[in-house]
Amino acid sequence: MTSAAPRTPPVAGLLLAAGAGRRFGGPKALAELDGQPLVLRALATLTAAGCTPVRVVLGAAADEVSALLPDPTQAIRAEGWETGMGASLKAGLAALAQETGPVAALVHLVDLPWVGADILARVAADATPETVARAAYDGIPGHPVLLGRHWWPEIAETAQGDRGARDWLSGRPDLKLIECADLGSGRDVDHRTDLPT
């Protein structure tokens, strides 16, 4: 995987990896594809897309997942992660708000091992503090989602439960859908059978 040059202005990478994976049968962050834990695969993808800094939001099996990270300072532990993605997003945006550089956050999910760095880089390409964008696959909205820094406090206030930023994004006239079906399917890992053995 070749690394893109860090973009100017920088876009932070925010990897949500806190879930317990109840339907999956355990935390997806620890599941492996081609001998590599999904959390490391997603982290490498964000890095290759030129995101800086990159932070990983942890919850279930936080100690175990944190031990896999090449840099322990990348880990953010989400209080109330059990309540859903909203708590993870809130914790991640709060941590990124302490960083002075990034104009936007590219939010990626740990269970999207087939969403490559080319997709992430395309979505992040025109980032500004006001940008609101997300990948689409044949017109259907998916991940990653790009959130301009200007909106972080507002998003954090509304993020709750399993919906993350979904309600906040819903019906926004400024939301750009960036078609990525030519680069991948955006398919997620829901059950263990979704991963080749």
Side-chain angles (χ1 to χ4, degrees):
M1 193 179 296
T2 58
S3 286
R7 69 187 78 257
T8 307
V11 172
L14 185 59
L15 178 60
L16 304 186
R22 287 176 191 87
R23 281 179 299 185
F24 186 76
K28 295 178 190 177
L30 296 171
E32 292 191 359
L33 176 61
D34 299 329
Q36 184 180 37
L38 292 187
V39 67
L40 293 185
R41 190 180 184 96
L43 186 59
T45 303
L46 281 161
T47 302
C51 293
T52 184
V54 178
R55 298 289 178 262
V56 184
V57 183
L58 305 179
D63 290 343
E64 221 177 318
V65 179
S66 183
L68 295 174
L69 301 180
D71 178 359
T73 66
Q74 293 177 306
I76 298 163
R77 293 179 188 242
E79 281 187 39
W81 62 267
E82 309 91 336
T83 62
M85 196 185 295
S88 293
L89 184 59
K90 196 175 289 197
L93 291 176
L96 287 178
Q98 307 303 311
E99 303 283 342
T100 54
V103 298
L106 189 66
V107 181
H108 187 40
L109 307 181
V110 78
D111 62 355
L112 298 171
W114 299 288
V115 173
D118 48 356
I119 293 174
L120 273 62
R122 180 181 287 180
V123 174
D126 297 319
T128 71
E130 287 78 33
T131 302
V132 183
R134 72 184 307 174
Y137 302 90
D138 294 322
I140 298 165
H143 283 85
V145 177
L146 183 69
L147 303 171
R149 189 180 191 112
H150 174 79
W151 306 110
W152 294 355
E154 198 175 300
I155 296 164
E157 225 168 84
T158 60
Q160 58 184 347
D162 268 335
R163 299 180 72 81
R166 192 182 313 160
D167 291 343
W168 186 86
L169 290 166
S170 177
R172 287 190 71 90
D174 58 346
L175 173 62
K176 294 180 199 164
L177 286 183
I178 299 173
E179 186 55 55
C180 295
D182 59 314
L183 300 176
S185 70
R187 185 167 60 98
D188 68 347
V189 171
D190 212 16
H191 303 279
R192 288 210 181 261
T193 51
D194 294 334
L195 289 172
T197 50

